[in-house]
Amino acid sequence: MKISEIFEQKKTVFSFEVFPPKKTFSIESISTKLAELSECKPDFISVTYGAGGGGASALTLDLCRSIIEDYKLTPMMHLTCVNSSREDVDKVLAMTAQYGIENILALRGDIVPELPRQTDFTYASDLVSYIKKKGDYHVSGACYPEGHPECDNAIDDILNLKKKVDAGAEHLVSQLFFENDMFYSFQEKARLAGINVPIEAGIMPVVNKAQIERMVTTCGASLPAKFVKMMTRFEHSPEALRDAGIAYAIDQIVDLMSQGVDGVHLYTMNQPYVAKRISEAVASLRSI
């Protein structure tokens, strides 16, 4: 099923993100976790391209196929272009057709100094346009409530996002954030700019201090005072910090749903326990 159809059927879409195992591991190493995550019945599951800068690994494709065949759910495959040539993308698209993968999240991808940067696609919007020409895909894009880290100002960031949507992106997934007002402000600017596709709010439940330090360094998300106090208060108790992080994420999601958000995209970090706790807490809200 295409994600555009899911948004037509659901008042609030609720989806997960997972990542494939490292290259040294087989797909079976995540099978148990994926089986548990599937019990939460997310509307779709996005699969990252994994570490190392590749466009889309074989494990990413295999995991998407497993989501379709073994769990009867809808996958959204991440595909990056910064280290991919047009030929590389064509090979991946050929595999998606073989596996029945209809949904792709088109990304530029992180620049890895050790890998030669390809020149066929400069921006994610170039990849979006190319994929739409190659087949009947639902193509999604990423957005950044606090602005893309490499963009000089919020206006240019919104204008670049508009180019991505105009190129064919039918749905947007936001980078993680910890202050809902930032998302609401971004969403209002996007709508004023004529960006009318569904925007999913990206929520990451933080369950340990190392995780938040790594993610803030990677994506530049700001930390509200309430969140910092929580981390400081419980950082020396792993169980307390985990439960506090889950509670914080639930609070964000309840507020987002009460404001009529198009969807919530939960960055699960491959942790079924956390995803289940959150899914159960908001289950009744998803049907209203």
Side-chain angles (χ1 to χ4, degrees), residues 19-49:
F19 53 84
K22 294 180 180 179
K23 293 180 180 179
T24 52
F25 293 86
S26 67
I27 194 68
E28 285 75 23
S29 64
I30 194 179
S31 294
T32 301
K33 293 181 179 180
L34 190 57
E36 292 183 60
L37 288 168
S38 69
E39 292 174 2
C40 300
K41 302 298 181 184
D43 293 312
F44 69 87
I45 300 178
S46 78
V47 184
T48 74
Y49 61 88

Side-chain angles (χ1 to χ4, degrees), residues 49-56 79-89 92 107-123 127:
Y49 61 88
L79 179 60
T80 65
C81 62
V82 66
N83 298 120
S84 300
S85 66
R86 187 174 286 105
E87 182 180 359
D88 294 330
V89 171
V92 172
L107 305 160
R108 187 200 68 178
D110 297 329
I111 297 174
V112 181
E114 295 78 22
L115 295 175
R117 185 169 179 177
Q118 298 293 325
T119 58
D120 286 342
F121 306 98
T122 304
Y123 304 108
L127 180 60

Side-chain angles (χ1 to χ4, degrees), residues 136-207:
D136 185 22
Y137 295 98
H138 169 98
V139 183
S140 300
C143 60
Y144 302 82
E146 298 182 56
H148 193 285
E150 297 176 25
C151 195
D152 292 333
N153 59 76
I155 294 176
D156 286 344
D157 190 54
I158 291 291
L159 291 176
N160 289 335
L161 184 61
K162 182 66 164 57
K163 291 178 183 177
K164 195 184 300 185
V165 172
D166 289 345
E170 304 167 70
H171 153 240
L172 299 172
V173 180
S174 91
Q175 180 59 273
L176 63 94
F177 59 90
F178 300 103
E179 176 55 68
N180 285 6
D181 284 345
M182 287 188 172
F183 177 81
Y184 298 139
S185 176
F186 159 78
Q187 184 176 243
E188 182 180 11
K189 293 172 185 174
R191 298 310 188 205
L192 288 171
I195 298 171
N196 296 314
V197 298
I199 302 176
E200 270 196 284
I203 298 296
M204 175 176 283
V206 175
V207 296

Side-chain angles (χ1 to χ4, degrees), residues 198-260:
I199 302 176
E200 270 196 284
I203 298 296
M204 175 176 283
V206 175
V207 296
N208 62 69
K209 189 175 181 181
Q211 178 189 7
I212 185 58
E213 290 174 343
R214 181 172 63 253
M215 293 311 300
V216 169
T217 300
T218 301
C219 69
S222 59
L223 304 180
K226 177 182 176 181
F227 185 87
V228 173
K229 288 179 180 178
M230 178 193 78
M231 295 291 296
T232 303
R233 176 68 178 84
F234 302 114
E235 64 177 317
H236 299 299
S237 173
E239 184 176 346
L241 182 56
R242 179 199 65 192
D243 288 347
I246 291 172
Y248 191 95
I250 291 171
D251 185 57
Q252 278 191 275
I253 293 169
V254 170
D255 180 67
L256 288 162
M257 287 186 167
S258 70
Q259 297 296 320

